[in-house]
Amino acid sequence: MARIEVGRVLWVVGLISAASGCSTVESAQIESSVTATRQAPERFAGRHVGRRAGESQRTHWAASESAGQNIPAEQFVTRPVSARELSARRAQREAAARRAVNAPAVATDRAGFVDSVAALPGAQVVRAAVTLRASAAATQQRAAPVFGDRRSWAAERAAAFRPDQEQLRAWVEQHHGVVTGTLSIAPVAYIEIPASQVAALSRLDMVEALGAIETTSTAEGYTGVGFRNATRSQRFIDAGIRGQSDPQVAWRVALVESRQGASFANNWIATDHVAFQTAAGASRIAVNMNCTTDPCTPATATGPGTATSDTHGTRVAALAAGGIEEGQDPVFPGSSTTAQIQRSGSATQSQIAYYSGKSCADFARAVQQAVMDGAHVINMSLAIDSANTASICGRTYDCGGMNAVLRAALDGGAIFVKSAGNGGVGDGSCSLTYPAQRPEALTISGLGTGDDQLTPYNTTKFAEGASGLAGSSQGAVRIQYNLGGATWIDSMAGVALTAPMLLTQTPDRGPNSYQSVQNSNGTSFSAAVTSGAALLVRQALFNQYDASMSMRRVLTNMLLMGDGMNSYLGYPGQLAEIPHGVSEQVGYGRLRAHWPSSADLTAPWGWGDRQFVAPAGVAVRWPVETAAAEDPAVTQWKWATAIFPNNLDAVDTDYVIEVVDTCAPVQGGGTTEQVVDSDYSFDIRKRIQLTHEKICPPDRPTCRCLEMRLTVFGAPAGGTMFYSADYYHSGDVTDH
């Protein structure tokens, strides 16, 4: 690892060819990334490195602190997977299949919904959400602009989906039903149809998923104070990254909230609270929508549409984006005082958008509206329950066409953050609340930070519901692999990160009142804490890294923000560092946000970000920094990877990751390769983390020469798009 005073921020895109063993750019599959290569922003001071033998075409960006620095080209090559490796992985698959023999069956979305209406009288009308298999032309639409108006993008998608939706309309009307609405950014239609026709509808080739519209939605709890230091969002704020608009982007956090049930019927946002105002007194609430109508309509400024009392939505919005640090509240004068920070969120200068509804269809419509309104982060802190499916945490569950909408949201430029739920760990099975189990979601579990405010964040435990507090849900989502005729069931963590879920001094009744006791808790608020931090990370990556990053790349970078500590009390050795793998309770660990800048990371440091398509049967490899030994000053290195399968009931990609020492000494002289650590799980997301002792063993005269390897054992024709992010630093590991 060459000692450099600033980080290396690398961007690699390519299509790996098994035949040639090298990489070439596939512009049709990664159009947005290739566009960024052609239009390099001046602030990156980057240089284009041409294609070389055995390397991919790529762009290297030098950090702005060292304008013009030319970072050495890295090797990015492939090799065939050996018969021994294939045999070993096959044995792992067989073991996974044996473990799943006694696993409880989970109904598919179609079967579960069809079964639930089978007993109804044939003439009874059923309301359903239908997700269509979009045509090839529809699925190849351009990505949404990173900034600017997304409505033309939404109109293009709507036009592409319209023929399929009209074909469905004709079938529904022939079978005595009616289409009551459609979405534009996803191939979803809402229908009313006789119960007797539901089974026939489910068998249509054009239908990808079929589910209920009406469900019971139960909002969750809330969290609190001091989280900016714990999650490191305070460091962004100190560096001037606060969600403020600039000439190119009006940064916006969106909140999707429930008004279902008597307790939440008036769950509007308190539009008059000072926490949602600028220093000049203008409102930062750019959008306030009621999505129980189709389309969503503006909520009224008086009466329904503005909270007259303390509400769940007001607190969630305040944790993500509330702020009084510029003197908005005359009761707490000054600038950035302790009292002001205690009553503020993270994205304190961002725009805020609020959407509320009562059903899955409403919530899907709200996400669509938020995307079209330009939201960069969408927070959903609510629980969806249903009597129409065997498991809301099931791999095939789809309510209101939400699965397709979430895929479209990523395409449209928004990160989707979801609360894990307050269901506790129970019997160890998945207790996430839909759609937290979806691969498109950044799902956040909760830490019991409120048990003792004096307890340091470093020793805070996963919230199991002790002392009358809410217990955070856990993952362990059962997914099914289908590769070359081989089918087996395994599990993925489902949880991405964990964050504080109990807070105080949050907005209360009245325009400038706040809670002063710890009486609200739940993963609604750990999600909100994360949403505010996620917007700051997005803003930092946009301004100082790569303005064209797709949301799947941003989400993968967000996974790096976990500290790799399993704070679940049930884990042997409590608070032990987990060097690899993703936890079902805390995901990648406790949230600690960072960005690639010398203002944040201690030199020498480096940050890598890659996306590439690779087929089955190859191993892709590249060095952490260079082929030489790592720098002895480096204290930690972290790596996260992800894929985004549409169908968790037929995952068609199997891969593993390893970090290898390419200069391991051999007794008697010479060197060999040695695996330092690996993630051989069947999770769609993977993680490896190395401490200084693993990078530079004390019994060796030099540090290791680290190489990253991603081996693909199964993939569909044409390969799979992989996402990878990693960074190393030379600072305090407890800060990361």
Side-chain angles (χ1 to χ4, degrees), residues 483-544:
L483 285 156
T487 301
W488 74 96
I489 293 175
D490 210 281
S491 67
M492 70 177 192
V495 174
L497 298 165
T498 190
M501 64 180 273
L502 183 62
L503 288 140
T504 186
Q505 300 296 356
T506 55
D508 203 343
R509 298 169 180 83
N512 63 342
S513 58
Y514 310 86
Q515 289 187 336
S516 59
V517 294
Q518 296 176 337
N519 61 355
S520 296
N521 67 97
T523 60
S524 283
F525 313 113
S526 56
V529 165
T530 304
S531 289
L535 185 83
L536 303 186
V537 171
R538 276 215 61 187
Q539 185 181 11
L541 291 174
F542 178 89
N543 288 334
Q544 301 184 26

Side-chain angles (χ1 to χ4, degrees), residues 108-132:
T108 65
D109 49 334
R110 291 197 198 188
F113 181 71
V114 173
D115 291 346
S116 71
V117 302
L120 297 175
Q124 182 166 330
V125 173
V126 173
R127 300 183 66 209
V130 183
T131 302
L132 300 171

Side-chain angles (χ1 to χ4, degrees), residues 646-699:
N646 291 343
N647 187 357
L648 295 179
D649 197 39
V651 179
D652 56 8
T653 300
D654 177 22
Y655 76 103
V656 302
I657 62 172
E658 301 169 313
V659 58
V660 178
D661 179 9
T662 60
C663 61
V666 177
Q667 188 173 7
T671 61
T672 187
E673 293 187 350
Q674 181 182 65
V675 175
V676 179
D677 210 338
S678 60
D679 187 342
Y680 293 151
S681 70
F682 288 101
D683 203 319
I684 61 175
R685 296 171 177 170
K686 304 190 192 297
R687 182 187 72 88
I688 295 177
Q689 182 168 305
L690 299 183
T691 60
H692 176 75
E693 290 70 24
K694 284 288 191 74
I695 299 169
C696 302
D699 59 347

